[in-house]
Amino acid sequence: MLVFTAAGPGGRVLLQTRRGALVQGAFSDLVAAAEAQLPHGLVLDGELLVWDSEAGALSSEGLQRRAAARAGSAPSLAANLPDSPSAMRRPSSSQPSTSGCDPCPSALASVVPSLLCCVIHVVWGIMNFTRYRRPWAFLLLTVSVVLGATAVAGLESGDGGSLVLLIGIREYVLLLGRLALAALTGAVLLGLTKSSLRVPLVATLLVIGAPTLLLGGFVSAAFGGSDEEVKTEPAPDRGDRQLLVVARSGSLDPVWCVYVDEGKPPLERRWSVGCFNGDSEDNALSETVWTAPDRIRMTTQAGAVHEVTIAPNGRPDRVVSVG
């Protein structure tokens, strides 16, 4: 329980639970005691105990009843189940500190400046504010799902009419995966309050996720290669259609791939038109040109000519594969 005394005359005393709920309405006697006995601008952190006068003992059930009490029944419950005086200890000094914070312990006050002491109490108060843990956990979980879905969409995107935007995400799949793993780990740490669940789940995420990302990075570096655009040419009289020739490295033989990009960003889509494997010089791609706004001619080093017709939506009537 956190007790916040008023910042000045006429202010309110606030009682806040560990979960961030304000319950001063259910503990009017404690509020009255704080207003009468405690200095302004003070923050106290401690346990709240309730004394059952009939049983002559402390009562956890009584504490729950008082916390859930409404305004009408709170005074009667306060009379039968008063707050224990030991639940709230008054500071060693009855005067507020010059910085407005709870006075430091006497042994610490002699060596720690009052401003630093105030900072210590502010940080301690922030650490005890749990009201923001679940919203942040939900936000991190949402970010993790979005990043993971984006990475999967980039991996699943092909050359058969996929969005060019998603195809470009392929280069950042590992980065997205690392960020998604970090966000998911943070969501678990903030969202689960029980260490018996939090620690094993975080350990599982790291044991599975970290090696998978490392393996993916190794495979990408060893076999991924890179693509180099060797030619781009817009279609005649078409500003929304473009021819693209890409040379792929990282394989044993040179490979040239021909694509058509249809539309305008961010809805631009890419269609595969042909692929030429240079395992033989005769199969190497020599020339690629538009012969009409909807027709492409591809010629190999051996002089073989391949023509492809492009539909209005950008889809080719066939995909040429040579070599």
Side-chain angles (χ1 to χ4, degrees), residues 188 192 194-207:
V188 172
L192 296 181
K194 294 184 178 180
S195 59
S196 59
L197 295 176
R198 183 174 64 244
V199 174
L201 187 53
V202 169
T204 302
L205 287 174
L206 296 178
V207 167

Side-chain angles (χ1 to χ4, degrees), residues 2-313:
L2 292 174
V3 180
F4 299 86
T5 62
R12 297 177 58 197
V13 173
L14 301 179
L15 306 181
Q16 186 180 54
T17 67
R18 298 288 184 180
R19 296 184 178 274
L22 296 177
V23 293
Q24 60 270 9
F27 298 95
S28 56
D29 49 344
L30 182 58
V31 171
E35 290 176 342
Q37 303 177 33
L38 298 180
H40 296 306
L42 188 66
V43 179
L44 290 181
D45 182 14
E47 292 287 337
L48 181 61
L49 305 177
V50 167
W51 181 263
D52 189 341
S53 55
E54 295 182 359
L58 296 176
S59 173
S60 58
E61 180 183 356
L63 177 61
Q64 298 297 326
R65 289 172 57 193
R66 289 206 55 184
R70 298 185 178 181
S73 59
S76 60
L77 284 176
N80 296 327
L81 300 169
D83 303 315
S84 173
S86 63
M88 183 174 64
R89 296 184 179 179
R90 190 172 179 178
S92 57
S93 172
S94 60
Q95 299 298 325
S97 66
T98 57
S99 62
C101 294
D102 182 10
C104 292
S106 57
L108 187 63
S110 60
V111 295
V112 179
S114 59
L115 180 60
L116 180 58
C117 185
C118 180
V119 172
I120 292 175
H121 281 283
V122 170
V123 173
W124 178 253
I126 292 175
M127 291 175 63
N128 284 291
F129 278 49
T130 59
R131 67 166 69 180
Y132 299 112
R133 288 189 62 173
R134 289 189 177 180
W136 273 106
F138 179 77
L139 177 61
L140 288 175
L141 180 61
T142 303
V143 170
S144 175
V145 172
V146 171
L147 291 175
T150 303
V152 171
L155 287 174
E156 294 292 331
S157 62
D159 302 323
S162 297
L163 291 173
V164 175
L165 182 63
L166 291 179
I167 296 174
I169 291 176
R170 292 178 187 173
E171 301 179 8
Y172 306 101
V173 165
L174 289 176
L175 175 61
L176 292 174
R178 296 187 185 102
L179 293 176
L181 178 62
L184 184 57
T185 303
V188 172
L189 290 174
L190 291 176
L192 296 181
T193 57
K194 294 184 178 180
S195 59
S196 59
L197 295 176
R198 183 174 64 244
V199 174
L201 187 53
V202 169
T204 302
L205 287 174
L206 296 178
V207 167
I208 297 177
T212 301
L213 292 173
L214 289 175
L215 180 61
F218 172 77
V219 172
S220 177
F223 306 104
S226 60
D227 294 347
E228 178 185 0
E229 296 183 3
V230 297
K231 181 178 181 178
T232 57
E233 181 182 349
D237 303 324
R238 290 289 300 265
D240 60 345
R241 180 175 290 177
Q242 182 172 254
L243 174 67
L244 175 66
V245 180
V246 175
R248 290 184 172 176
S249 61
S251 57
L252 297 177
D253 302 315
V255 177
W256 294 270
C257 293
V258 182
Y259 302 100
V260 168
D261 290 347
E262 181 78 19
K264 295 288 187 180
L267 301 179
E268 186 179 19
R269 294 185 177 274
R270 178 165 296 175
W271 299 88
S272 178
V273 177
C275 190
F276 297 80
N277 191 332
D279 54 350
S280 171
E281 291 186 3
D282 293 342
N283 295 332
L285 182 63
S286 173
E287 182 185 41
T288 305
V289 295
W290 290 100
T291 59
D294 60 351
R295 184 172 290 273
I296 297 174
R297 184 179 66 206
M298 297 167 286
T299 307
T300 65
Q301 291 284 2
V305 176
H306 305 273
E307 291 195 350
V308 176
T309 300
I310 308 300
N313 64 350

